[in-house]
Structures are given as structure tokens and as C-alpha cells.
Amino acid sequence: MAPEKQPIILYHGGDTLQMERVIQKIRKEQFGDEEIERKDFDAGAGEIPQAIEELLSLSLFSSNKIVVIKRIKKPARAKSAQSTTNSRKKKTDPFSSLADFINKPRGSTPLIMFCEAKSDIPKPIETALGKKRIAELKKTTPAEIRKAILRRCEQQNVTLKNNAFEYILECCGDNAEAAQRETQKLLLWAKEGQTVTIEDCRLLIQKEIEEDIWAVSNSVAAKDAEKALLALGQSIELGKAPQEIVGQLSKLFRDLLQCKALTTEKVPPSEWEKRTGMRGWGLDLKMRESKRFTIEALRDGVSRLQQADEDIKGNKLDINFALERAIMDLCGAAAKDSMS
């Protein structure tokens, strides 16, 4: 049985590996080795209301539950608004609703929240938590990343050849999230007792340009035009032609649209591979990421990227300008769609 005390805490900084460590630490402290149900929500995708609903509901599968909210970030300040509009927004502001729950929690479900930087914490949340329930996470060091990769491989009885291990480290650098993702991909592919070679890694490990394409789409989902353009610039710096970037973004948005349609149409998981032509880890990733968009936003994204491709091929606009405009339009469409 879980202790009566209900931990509610927000962490800023860190990375995916450190987030998982604190979640597991709190889980162990609260529930020991008992089975739990874990529910993850993305504040950047507007899922705070669902998180609050989950906190107030009983678990269907276990008497123990943990709720995790990631990507907490204060909203951009509006330039101007009427007082009646401000009043209405305040009443429906999800951060104010979450602060109300923190001030008067119901039930005993632990609530663990994460944001990128301390400056991202919305004022209502900061006030409700107080200093004692806000903590900083340090980023995972390269040495810790190396140990984590080897530990996960050892747990599955998979061996990495030296040059394969170095290839993973070279691709992921000091990015703990990338290292965790790529190691998990390798382990889903490798059989128990298998030795992974550098050739295997070259086929499976995500390249830097793919990482940046995902960074663009993630920023669009978060309606963060500044980060989306920064990720776009990084892709161009890596030597990718704008036409190639548009092509990769277009394919990504078409895949996400396909995946979103599966859940919208309530297609059984057994038919997903046949309907999409995707499988395994790639399908799982895109199904998960498609949840960050509405189907309307994805349709609009496919259309806008197609227009950008036509503008570039027809020399109607400067190539870089056409690409930047497409990204700005995508962020604007996502923001508009989130308010409808």
C-alpha cells in the first residue's frame, strides 16, 4: 500500500535519463516493488486538463498510480487583450487549474512534473509549489551515458563490439536522450545473446539530420517557432539542401498523419503495419509523436510543405525564405488549431 503522503514536485533542467531516474526513485519510495500504473502527459501538447482528470480518477489496472507531466512551460505573454477576455482566460488557464490541484490535492497519486529551465515555470505553479518542491536536475555526464548503454546491453545479454560502441557514442555525443533512444532501438532489434557490429549500428542508428528533423516537428507541435527555426538552421549547417529538408519533413508529416488517422478511426493495432507500411520501432515512435498534433494540424502541415516544395522547385521564392516561411506557417497553424 502506498504511503499517505502524496509527493508533488517539479524538476527543471536535466535530460530524459535523469528524469527517468527520479521517477523510478519516487516510485520505489512510494510503492516498493508493487505493480503501478504510470500515466505520462505532455504540457506542451496541451494535455494538462487530461493530467488533472487522471489525478482525480481511480486507476483501472492497479491501486497504485503515478502521474508525470513533461514540458511544463509558461505561456507567451499576450501583447494586448480586453479585461473580459483576460478574465475568461484566467478561469480556463490550465496552469491555474493545476495550481489549484497542487494547493488542494485530492487522493494520494504522486505528481511529478518537468520543465526545461527554471524560468519556464508558470507563476501559478511556482507559487503553489514553493521553493521546497522545486528542484534542479543535472544533465547526464558522458561517463554516465557510457555506463547506461553498457548496463542496458548487459541486462538483455547483448554484446557491443568496440567499434560499434564507439559509433553509438560518436552519433549521440553527450545527448542522453539520443543515447537512450538509439540503445533501445538496437535492443528491440537484437536477439538475446547477439553481438552487435558497427554495420548493424550504421543501419539502425539515427543520424544527426534525422534528429534535427524531429527537433523541427517537435517545436512545431509545441508552437515554438524560434526553436523550430533554430533546428532548421542546424540542419542546413550540417550540409543538407533545403529541398532535401522539405522532402524529409513532408514524409514525416505524411507518416504522422497516417498514424493519427489510425487512432482517430480506432483501427485495431493488429492492422497498423498493414495500413501504414511501417513496422517496429519506427511505427511505435511515429504513433507516439502523432499524439502531439490534431489531425487537422497534420493535414495542414502536409499541404503547407507541399506548397513549399512547389515554390522551391518552381523558383517562385528564395529557397531559404520559402523553407522558413513554411516553418512559420506550420507553427502558426498548430497554434491556431490548438485554440479552436
Side-chain angles (χ1 to χ4, degrees), residues 231-256:
L232 173 64
Q234 290 171 340
S235 296
I236 294 173
E237 286 176 7
L238 286 170
K240 285 292 180 181
Q243 296 96 323
E244 188 173 358
I245 294 171
V246 169
Q248 289 182 315
L249 271 174
S250 296
K251 183 181 184 308
L252 174 59
F253 270 74
R254 288 195 301 271
D255 288 349
L256 292 177

Side-chain angles (χ1 to χ4, degrees), residues 51 76 89 168 201 219 263 270 283 289 321 328 335:
K89 282 185 176 180
I168 296 172
C201 292
S219 300
T263 52
S270 58
L283 176 58
E289 289 298 318
F321 175 76
M328 294 295 290

Side-chain angles (χ1 to χ4, degrees), residues 273-291:
E273 289 188 8
K274 183 178 179 181
R275 286 280 296 267
T276 64
M278 294 178 272
R279 58 186 299 180
W281 179 88
L283 176 58
D284 290 342
L285 174 63
K286 288 173 182 174
M287 286 298 298
R288 186 169 63 250
E289 289 298 318
S290 70
K291 295 178 182 178

